Amino acid sequence: MAGSGTVFTSALEGTNHVKSETGEMLTKPFLDVCKHLLPVLDKFGAAFAPVKSDIGNNISRLDSKYSSNPSEFNLLYSLVQVEIEAKNAKSSSSCTNALLWLTRAMDYLVELFRNLHDNPDWPMSKACTEAYGKTLKKWHNWLASSSFSVGIKLAPDRKKFMDILGGETPDLNSDIGKFCTDFSPLLQENHKFLDSVGMDNVKA
């Protein structure tokens, strides 16, 4: 890994390009940052396979719509606005729904990594459970919550996970902290926008 940075380097670099010069969220750069986290999720093994699949599907749905007309959908929220106007934003297969659940999943990951960064003595199970309680839990039905709880039990222990990421080094800890700090406000902006169109409180 020498000279190539940490597993968070690409995502960190990507957060610098998510906003346009006028401060608007750009579709492709935002999705690219989310994509950069998929290899990190692989390191969790089977425990996070459903989460990774869910994130991947939501990225694909948004990416597909963006690719259908990159100039029209250059701005992330344009994917939602066109559905609001067509009155199909509440559909489970909408891009609005995909952005909502992608943002929530990213909330969970940011909170999880913040827990690992801020609490070096926490076991992985506690970092996962606390993050889930603060983010996804209130939006999940009983079935989703149950399957998530089972997944957390399958998570690798902290040391093994950090070793897979390249070891709990100052560089890795610094990148994790910076990623949480830089990416979190972008997610909050998504929530603010989704709330403004009445779509931030949808449950599973």
Side-chain angles (χ1 to χ4, degrees):
M1 298 250 326
S4 62
T6 72
V7 290
F8 286 90
T9 303
S10 296
L12 257 177
E13 172 62 23
T15 59
N16 296 324
H17 306 291
V18 170
K19 293 269 195 97
S20 70
E21 288 180 6
T22 53
E24 292 174 291
M25 296 274 269
L26 299 169
T27 305
K28 190 169 187 313
F30 175 77
L31 295 179
D32 284 346
V33 171
C34 297
K35 284 178 192 172
H36 286 313
L37 292 180
L38 293 177
V40 181
L41 287 182
D42 280 335
K43 314 296 185 190
F44 281 96
F48 274 53
V51 180
K52 186 190 173 194
S53 171
D54 195 46
I55 290 171
N57 288 340
N58 286 326
I59 291 173
S60 295
R61 192 187 306 167
L62 294 163
D63 214 3
S64 175
K65 186 73 171 177
Y66 165 77
S67 298
S68 72
N69 194 331
S71 57
E72 182 183 353
F73 298 121
N74 181 45
L75 300 179
L76 185 62
Y77 303 152
S78 63
L79 295 165
V80 173
Q81 282 155 338
V82 72
E83 292 180 343
I84 296 288
E85 286 163 18
K87 295 189 168 30
N88 58 10
K90 286 188 163 75
S91 161
S92 61
S93 59
S94 69
C95 284
T96 306
N97 198 56
L99 179 60
L100 175 65
W101 284 101
L102 177 59
T103 300
R104 286 174 176 173
M106 292 294 138
D107 285 337
Y108 171 68
L109 293 180
V110 165
E111 197 60 38
L112 168 57
F113 286 116
R114 185 180 284 126
N115 285 343
L116 292 172
H117 176 268
D118 293 351
N119 305 282
D121 57 328
W122 280 17
M124 180 64 81
S125 56
K126 181 169 184 178
C128 290
T129 304
E130 292 281 330
Y132 182 63
K134 275 191 180 178
T135 57
L136 287 169
K137 188 175 183 181
K138 63 184 170 188
W139 307 116
H140 275 173
N141 57 29
W142 180 84
L143 189 62
S145 274
S146 300
S147 60
F148 217 92
S149 298
V150 170
I152 287 171
K153 288 187 176 74
L154 298 172
D157 70 45
R158 181 191 180 109
K159 185 177 186 314
K160 183 180 177 188
F161 177 70
M162 288 302 198
D163 284 347
I164 294 169
L165 292 188
E168 207 156 344
T169 62
D171 279 354
L172 180 63
N173 281 329
S174 170
D175 278 3
I176 289 176
K178 189 160 180 6
F179 176 73
C180 293
T181 300
D182 291 358
F183 197 42
S184 192
L186 300 175
L187 299 176
Q188 289 312 307
E189 207 162 310
N190 283 358
H191 284 300
K192 193 174 173 184
F193 169 73
L194 288 163
D195 186 51
S196 76
V197 293
M199 287 300 298
D200 199 43
N201 290 314
V202 176
K203 293 196 172 188

